[in-house]
């Protein structure tokens, strides 16, 4: 149940440490074009991948308060690091005020259902990998599953600095994906919402022989099911989207333009003043 002042036309709140969650926001807009979204990228504190759980919870709660303050009916943590490290606490914080959604549960359920018996690997931030959230959740649903994980911490700063589809990103991606821990991978989960931005380079590395799982459309589909089952789909024709960051960075706008075709204005909001 959510608070009575949330209505069908209330926005969907989506947040991440930076531009990564835009991959999910863009899938949400493709699938649910009649929903208004408020996106918050915490660029002032990026990356979350090596911060303490305490700091991540502090940032996530502050952003959640901002999104709740704008009447969001859903709070979607479009960040694996948040979903892996502080989700139980954040879920409780949001519950009763809006519908909490994380990015890990829908992906795990999808992969276990669609790729039974496959050797599943996960790449993600140090925090996501060290939390063991993915292997534990996968093994809970599929006890005999073969799972391996590798922290790939350079990928988020690389992407946020605009190193995409070039020699530098190819060298870093190749160095990580050739790690022995990933040898024999049949299904690779991109366990960070930034990674779909370099999905094509990852597919090229594997010469199309590995299933590369991108959370964006899986999570957007789950969001649609949640809105439908709660009778909360927007029926009004008034749709407005906002894109907010805690600090202006050179590449947030460029990455946003890749997904939203230059149509967006990025607002700087200082939640920590
Ligand atoms: N997109 C975030 C994730 O899914 C990136 C984390 C970071 O800022 O390091 O984990």
């Amino acid at each position: 149940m959510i608070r009575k002042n949330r209505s069908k036309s209330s926005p969907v709140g989506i947040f991440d440490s930076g531009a990564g969650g835009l991959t999910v926001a863009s899938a949400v807009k493709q699938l649910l074009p009649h929903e208004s979204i408020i996106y918050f990228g915490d660029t002032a504190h990026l990356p979350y991948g090596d911060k303490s759980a305490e700091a991540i919870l502090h940032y996530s709660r502050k952003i959640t308060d901002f999104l709740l303050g704008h009447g969001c009916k859903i709070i979607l943590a479009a960040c694996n690091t948040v979903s892996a490290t502080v989700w139980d606490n954040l879920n409780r914080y949001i519950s009763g005020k809006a519908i909490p959604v994380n990015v890990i549960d829908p992906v795990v359920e999808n992969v276990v259902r669609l790729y039974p018996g496959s050797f599943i690997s996960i790449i993600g931030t140090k925090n996501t990998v060290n939390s063991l959230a993915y292997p534990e959740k996968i093994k809970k649903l599929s006890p005999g599953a073969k799972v391996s994980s590798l922290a790939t911490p350079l990928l988020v700063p690389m992407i946020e600095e605009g190193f995409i589809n070039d020699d530098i990103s190819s060298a870093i991606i190749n160095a990580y994906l050739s790690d022995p821990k990933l040898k024999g991978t049949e299904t690779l989960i991109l366990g960070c919402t930034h990674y779909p931005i370099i999905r094509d380079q990852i597919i090229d590395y594997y010469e199309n022989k590995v299933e590369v799982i991108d959370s964006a459309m899986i999570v957007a589909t789950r969001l649609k099911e949640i809105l439908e089952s709660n009778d909360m789909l927007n029926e009004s024709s008034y749709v407005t989207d906002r894109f907010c960051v805690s600090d202006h960075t050179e590449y947030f706008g460029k990455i946003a333009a890749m997904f939203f075709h230059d149509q967006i204005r990025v607002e700087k909001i200082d939640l920590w003043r």
Side-chain angles (χ1 to χ4, degrees):
M1 288 303 288
I2 62 171
R3 263 193 200 161
K4 297 222 166 27
N5 59 354
R6 307 284 185 261
S7 70
K8 295 182 181 193
S9 61
S10 297
V12 171
I14 304 176
F15 77 94
D16 178 42
S17 59
L22 290 169
T23 58
V24 183
S26 139
V28 169
K29 287 303 288 186
Q30 270 177 53
L31 201 63
L32 298 162
H34 301 298
E35 297 297 328
S36 298
I37 62 169
I38 304 182
Y39 184 87
F40 196 97
D42 191 10
T43 42
H45 299 115
L46 175 105
Y48 281 5
D50 51 10
K51 300 277 186 313
S52 67
E54 229 179 346
I56 296 169
L57 185 61
H58 175 67
Y59 302 147
S60 304
R61 280 195 178 207
K62 199 84 180 161
I63 298 165
T64 295
D65 286 341
F66 169 76
L67 296 172
L68 290 172
H70 286 80
C72 289
K73 58 187 175 186
I74 291 228
I75 306 290
L76 167 58
C79 176
N80 285 266
T81 307
V82 170
S83 305
T85 54
V86 297
W87 182 248
D88 288 348
N89 193 312
L90 194 65
N91 185 25
R92 280 197 301 277
Y93 189 68
I94 299 168
S95 293
K97 303 172 190 131
I99 303 173
V101 182
N102 72 62
V103 283
I104 296 183
D105 292 326
V107 171
V108 166
E109 283 158 28
N110 191 281
V111 167
V112 167
R113 185 166 46 84
L114 294 181
Y115 306 99
S118 163
F119 175 15
I120 304 166
S121 292
I122 299 106
I123 53 171
T125 65
K126 281 187 196 164
N127 272 329
T128 298
V129 169
N130 292 342
S131 75
L132 300 178
Y134 272 101
E136 284 177 3
K137 284 172 191 268
I138 291 171
K139 290 196 174 194
K140 204 167 171 191
L141 295 182
S142 172
K146 192 167 173 222
V147 188
S148 183
S149 334
L150 180 74
T152 48
L154 286 180
L155 297 183
V156 168
M158 177 192 95
I159 292 165
E160 291 273 347
E161 286 298 323
F163 292 107
I164 299 163
N165 289 327
D166 61 6
D167 293 346
I168 292 175
S169 53
S170 292
I172 296 173
I173 291 167
N174 289 1
Y176 279 137
L177 298 184
S178 57
D179 190 289
K181 279 190 181 160
L182 301 183
K183 198 163 183 267
T185 298
E186 292 168 299
T187 304
L188 181 75
I189 298 179
L190 304 184
C192 172
T193 53
H194 281 75
Y195 300 174
I197 297 169
I198 50 165
R199 186 171 192 269
D200 289 348
Q201 284 181 275
I202 293 175
I203 289 174
D204 283 351
Y205 172 87
Y206 284 117
E207 297 172 338
N208 248 325
K209 291 181 186 128
V210 163
E211 286 294 340
V212 177
I213 308 298
D214 161 351
S215 59
M217 203 34 96
I218 297 172
V219 173
T221 305
R222 169 62 59 87
L223 201 86
K224 183 168 184 248
E225 288 162 6
I226 291 173
L227 287 173
E228 279 167 353
S229 63
N230 283 276
D231 193 22
M232 286 297 272
L233 281 170
N234 187 18
E235 284 161 359
S236 133
S237 53
Y238 180 72
V239 175
T240 176
D241 300 325
R242 284 181 70 184
F243 295 87
C244 313
V245 289
S246 47
D247 196 11
H248 276 306
T249 59
E250 195 181 344
Y251 287 101
F252 184 93
K254 288 190 181 151
I255 294 172
M258 277 166 56
F259 289 100
F260 294 91
H261 312 294
D262 284 324
Q263 294 152 353
I264 67 166
R265 188 174 67 84
V266 180
E267 300 168 51
K268 181 181 167 187
I269 308 242
D270 189 355
L271 299 180
W272 284 270
R273 221 187 346 223

